[in-house]
């Protein structure tokens, strides 16, 4: 297996069968070799710098009914909320004072936030904090809407592709959502000029090793600037409530493989990783990740943005999250930096 890993580190691509063999590998020595290769690749480009993104979860209303998601339309137990533009700007001000230079506005697909409201909010953030990047993660929109957000100053857009298999996609989503439209949105975002992010859940229901290999092939071909992956964790008020969670081991393995496919990619060590293991986020960094996303949302709403059960840090103030993360990174020999953290070829 070390030959396959060496080949991936050198060529940044493998065949589908080679990806499958690597995903199935459980040999400890081979996996440690994979980890070391990924960490070296990341250190060669980014050193020991870890980039912070300030996450602002501004609405948990969503028109969609994805089977895995705690804020799905059909969940009548969800306590819904929306942040005003002023509340979002307060989160940014707080974050800026704490050293954040990227703000991630994430929410369900909520028609209340028209394109005009999103554009106005982005413009105001860029006006007040001109040295900061704005990332949007608000789902599938028409190309014209994406173009308006970009022209208003949004720098990045995260849209997980969820799965590269149309069959698997249909098992996770209602019939009114199509994998073709998802992929079209990603193509449009990249064409417009966004630093674009895709990604998937590790261990989602019905996922096969072949599905994961197809995800890696898609990522290889699409060449996103960011990839967000994390373990699937069930939510008690969804149809997948009794499904098993994804594993730490598989998530770490895939982080390392993605780092070797895309050496310059921005790769978060997610909150979901920290939810399934107390040291999950630190381990993610040691397996090739280079981004962490402390939460800047008001503590009054944190517990309400519950995509999955047992999410960590829901009671912490922004400062607690930020300095906790700094200490965690320092404990493994890394440092959180005050930087926009752009994709290396697009530094501003």
């Amino acid at each position: 297996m070390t030959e396959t890993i060496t080949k991936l580190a050198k060529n940044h691509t493998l065949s589908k069968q080679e990806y499958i063999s690597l995903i199935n590998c459980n040999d400890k020595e081979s996996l440690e070799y994979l980890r070391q290769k990924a960490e070296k690749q990341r250190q060669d480009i980014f050193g020991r710098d870890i980039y912070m993104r300030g996450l602002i979860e501004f609405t948990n209303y969503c028109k969609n009914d994805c089977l895995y998601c705690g804020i799905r339309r059909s969940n009548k137990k969800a306590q819904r909320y929306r942040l005003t533009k002023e509340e979002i700007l307060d989160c940014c001000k707080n974050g800026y004072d704490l050293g954040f230079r990227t703000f991630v506005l994430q929410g369900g697909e909520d028609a209340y936030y028209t394109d005009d409201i999103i554009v106005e909010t982005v413009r105001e953030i860029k006006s007040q904090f001109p040295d900061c990047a704005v990332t949007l993660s608000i789902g599938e929109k028409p190309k014209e809407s994406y173009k308006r957000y970009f022209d208003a100053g949004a720098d990045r857009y995260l849209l997980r592709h969820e799965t590269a298999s149309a069959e698997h996609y249909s098992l996770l989503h209602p019939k009114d959502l199509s994998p073709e439209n998802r992929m079209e949105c990603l193509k449009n975002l990249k064409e417009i000029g966004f630093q674009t992010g895709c990604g998937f859940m590790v261990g989602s229901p019905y996922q096969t090793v072949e599905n994961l290999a197809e995800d890696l092939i898609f990522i290889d071909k699409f060449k996103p600037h960011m990839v967000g992956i994390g373990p699937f964790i069930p939510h008690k008020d969804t149809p997948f409530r009794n499904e098993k969670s994804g594993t730490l081991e598989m998530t770490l393995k895939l982080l390392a493989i993605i780092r070797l496919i895309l050496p310059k990619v921005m790769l978060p060590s997610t909150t979901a990783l920290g939810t399934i293991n107390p040291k999950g986020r630190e381990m993610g960094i040691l397996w090739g990740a280079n981004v962490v996303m402390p939460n800047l949302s008001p503590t009054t709403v944190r517990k309400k943005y519950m995509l999955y059960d047992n999410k960590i840090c829901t009671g912490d103030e922004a400062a607690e999250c930020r300095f906790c993360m700094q200490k965690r990174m320092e404990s493994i020999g890394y440092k959180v930096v005050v930087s926009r953290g752009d994709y290396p070829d697009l530094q501003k």
Side-chain angles (χ1 to χ4, degrees), residues 16 163-165 168 206-216:
K16 182 175 180 180
T163 171
S165 159
H168 186 215
Y206 312 111
Q207 188 179 65
T208 64
V209 174
E210 287 76 14
N211 292 152
L212 289 170
E214 288 163 11
D215 285 321
L216 295 174

Side-chain angles (χ1 to χ4, degrees), residues 1-11 13-15 17-19 21-22 33-34 260:
M1 190 50 66
T2 53
E3 286 179 13
T4 302
I5 296 165
T6 302
K7 179 180 174 182
L8 177 59
K10 182 182 177 186
N11 300 333
T13 191
L14 294 173
S15 69
Q17 197 50 55
E18 286 170 322
Y19 281 130
S21 298
L22 188 49
Y33 183 67
L34 172 66
L260 293 179

